[in-house]
Amino acid sequence: MRSGREAAAHAEPKEPRLILCWDGVQWVPETIAPDYAAAQRLVHGIRGDGSF
């Protein structure tokens, strides 16, 4: 989120999202998703657009 303020995860859905991964000690950057929907697909392992 470019504004630097805290907000709900779904706020500004078109903004890029940083995906973090827990390495056992700390959260480390893993990748960047282009938007909220893509971030959800990455985090939850959904392939394609998620439709059936």
Side-chain angles (χ1 to χ4, degrees):
M1 190 177 321
R2 294 183 191 172
S3 64
R5 62 183 173 76
E6 290 186 30
H10 64 277
E12 300 183 41
K14 300 292 183 194
E15 292 292 315
R17 306 290 189 199
L18 175 63
I19 308 296
L20 302 172
C21 181
W22 182 253
D23 71 358
V25 176
Q26 63 187 355
W27 290 100
V28 293
E30 185 172 299
T31 190
I32 297 175
D35 57 29
Y36 177 72
Q40 290 297 300
R41 289 191 300 272
L42 279 168
V43 169
H44 297 292
I46 299 170
R47 295 183 182 190
D49 64 2
S51 62
F52 295 99

